[in-house]
Amino acid sequence: MHAAVLQCLGKLPRYEQFPDPVARDGEVVVQVLAASLKPVDKQLASGSHFASPREGPVICGTDGIGLLDAGTRVFFGASGRPYGAMAERTLVRREFCFPVPDNLSDEVAAALPNPGVSAWASLDFRAKLVPGESVLILGATGVTGKLAVKIAKLLGAARVVAAGRDQQALRTLPGLGADTTIRLDVSETEVVDAFASAVSSGIHVVIDYVWGRPVELLLSAMTRKEFAANTYETRLVQVGENAGPTISLPAAVLRSSALAILGTAGIPPREVLVDALQKVLAHAAGGDLSIDTEPVPLAEIEKAWQRESKGRRLVIIP
Ligand SMILES: NC(=O)c1ccc[n+]([C@@H]2O[C@H](COP(=O)([O-])OP(=O)(O)OC[C@H]3O[C@@H](n4cnc5c(N)ncnc54)[C@H](OP(=O)(O)O)[C@@H]3O)[C@@H](O)[C@H]2O)c1
């Protein structure tokens, strides 16, 4: 069969022949209909992700949409290495196959679950967002950030502050539920002032897709300059590092504010993922959640891998 084959870490995947998968105990062979190309696929293939494969060849792609033998259309995740989602067929554990609503296209059903479930689980499972709280999304202009804005509102956030650099994307965010937007493409003083204004009205949850300098500026805006009682905790959930892999964290930030920095904790428990997936798919089927996609033939994987896809997901079609 044909697949997006990565021969070794740091190289580009190529459209090549790969041996057909054979199901073992508890596994099924899925005929792939569509698989989205996500930041994590590139991080895994580059070797920069903590879960990068140790050796090649492997097939790229972590999840997608496909058909089981009986013809049932399912979203599948966690293909067993060396098999990945960007192939004509792949190998999947039976418990990681989930039926999808008929009114979702293959492209949307393939592209939405990863960022949608991530945003849902970050807000609900990790941040434990309570209806009525205020949320700041850092990197709200990205595919996952836009979904996080909308999902925060679906989960009952009273106020959503959305921060990003891309002005055109930023202008669309009030349509998704953002109450305030913050530009990250202006001077650092302006960014700190905007963060300080947001913080002064209370921010209970921060979902962070950028880390690096924007987070340092946020933390400086959160640092109190005098003794004062904190009336609420701010839970910052770290999800992505698009602005930089490290920050400088002055101790005064933690001593003067009630800040809790959380990670995404790897992969959440299965019941959390399944619950989030079902809610994301139901909201998508009902028209509340959407994602911009662009189909790309599997044969063009090498070019697609190197392309910009700002604000939308490329979806690989075998
Ligand atoms: N753990 C998971 O399951 C999971 C799932 C989904 C996403 N993620 C992670 O979350 C991150 C975002 O994913 P995505 O799908 O939203 O990606 P994306 O669509 O490429 O969005 C990237 C975001 O980062 C911002 N950004 C990029 N470089 C920046 C910089 N130097 N300074 C400030 N902002 C910068 C972009 O802002 P502008 O466009 O405004 O420039 C945009 O908001 C990635 O790191 C991804 O791996 C993790």
Side-chain angles (χ1 to χ4, degrees), residues 38-40 43 49 114-116 118-119 138-146 163-167 169-170 184 208-211 214 239-244 264 266 309-313:
K38 309 170 293 297
V40 71
Q43 293 157 15
H49 196 278
N114 174 279
S118 169
L138 289 179
T141 40
V143 169
T144 315
K146 286 193 268 188
R165 296 181 307 180
D166 183 322
Q167 282 193 60
L170 217 47
L184 296 179
D208 168 42
Y209 297 106
V210 297
W211 204 238
V239 190
E241 54 179 59
N242 282 0
T264 43
S309 58
K310 227 170 159 25
R312 67 190 190 290
R313 281 284 192 264

Side-chain angles (χ1 to χ4, degrees), residues 75 95-96 98 113-114 116-128 151 155 263-281:
F75 172 76
E95 66 266 28
F96 287 111
F98 306 93
N114 174 279
V117 168
S118 169
W120 196 288
S122 297
L123 286 157
D124 193 22
F125 170 65
R126 291 303 286 161
K128 310 239 178 304
I151 290 170
L155 287 169
T264 43
I267 296 182
R270 187 174 188 278
E271 63 274 16
V272 172
L273 287 179
V274 173
D275 179 61
L277 176 65
Q278 283 169 349
K279 285 177 173 144
V280 164
L281 291 176

Side-chain angles (χ1 to χ4, degrees), residues 218-231:
L218 171 65
L219 298 186
S220 103
M222 288 177 70
T223 308
R224 300 286 191 92
K225 308 292 182 280
E226 72 290 324
F227 284 117
N230 282 300
T231 51

Side-chain angles (χ1 to χ4, degrees), residues 196-274:
S197 161
V199 167
S200 70
S201 313
I203 293 290
H204 303 93
V205 168
V206 181
I207 305 296
D208 168 42
Y209 297 106
V210 297
W211 204 238
R213 193 63 187 147
V215 168
E216 291 178 341
L217 299 179
L218 171 65
L219 298 186
S220 103
M222 288 177 70
T223 308
R224 300 286 191 92
K225 308 292 182 280
E226 72 290 324
F227 284 117
N230 282 300
T231 51
Y232 67 91
E233 185 180 68
T234 300
R235 291 98 71 198
L236 184 154
V237 181
Q238 207 312 290
V239 190
E241 54 179 59
N242 282 0
T246 58
I247 60 164
S248 158
L249 176 59
V253 176
L254 299 175
R255 292 205 315 277
S256 72
S257 66
L259 172 68
I261 300 182
L262 309 163
T264 43
I267 296 182
R270 187 174 188 278
E271 63 274 16
V272 172
L273 287 179
V274 173

Side-chain angles (χ1 to χ4, degrees), residues 166-196:
D166 183 322
Q167 282 193 60
Q168 203 183 338
L170 217 47
R171 278 195 288 273
T172 66
L173 299 181
L176 297 175
D179 300 282
T180 310
T181 57
I182 291 180
R183 283 178 61 176
L184 296 179
D185 62 334
V186 290
S187 73
E188 292 198 347
T189 313
E190 288 171 280
V191 175
V192 173
D193 287 349
F195 280 147

